[in-house]
Amino acid sequence: MTWNLNTVIGLLVPLVGLGLITAGIVWKGRAVRPFAASRARSVAQREYARDLQRAADQVIATARSSAGDGEPAIVTVEAVVRVTENRYGYAEVERQHAAAALRRRFEHWRCAVDCVTDAYT
């Protein structure tokens, strides 16, 4: 077997491709994860706020759909805490954070017309 340029390239290309595939398997997702602890904390805080907001939206939607004709929908902070803990897996949700998220979503969806909440107390 004589070594010429075509033989070297023919062997080198598959070996480089195999090396890239192996590196991709080994380092899968590493670029997505933050390296610094401060970045990890800020990402966790953003996810916590987003999950509280989603839970408040779900509680408002559920209360509105379960309210009868002419009845106000009752939206409680405890319902937001419960949904956040059960659906998003948080061990403990502070009531003041849930109340703040519920107030924001309450005003965003203009719920004062047909809803009642305890988030302002």
Side-chain angles (χ1 to χ4, degrees), residues 38-110:
S38 63
R39 287 183 61 200
R41 277 191 300 275
S42 68
V43 167
Q45 288 172 352
R46 282 194 307 266
E47 287 179 355
Y48 177 69
R50 185 184 67 224
D51 291 341
L52 275 172
Q53 182 172 321
R54 287 180 180 170
D57 286 341
Q58 291 169 356
V59 168
I60 290 170
T62 303
R64 280 184 166 171
S65 66
S66 64
D69 290 334
E71 293 180 348
I74 300 172
V75 184
T76 63
V77 176
E78 292 305 318
V80 175
V81 169
R82 189 173 50 251
V83 168
T84 306
E85 289 175 349
N86 293 339
R87 185 169 177 105
Y88 298 106
Y90 291 99
E92 187 175 320
V93 177
E94 291 189 31
R95 189 181 192 288
Q96 63 185 8
H97 294 159
L102 182 56
R103 283 192 298 269
R104 281 192 304 274
R105 301 317 286 172
F106 193 82
E107 292 167 2
H108 175 76
W109 293 114
R110 294 181 175 91

Side-chain angles (χ1 to χ4, degrees), residues 23-35:
I25 290 171
V26 170
W27 292 312
K28 177 181 144 188
R30 187 165 293 176
V32 176
R33 291 184 297 219
F35 292 111

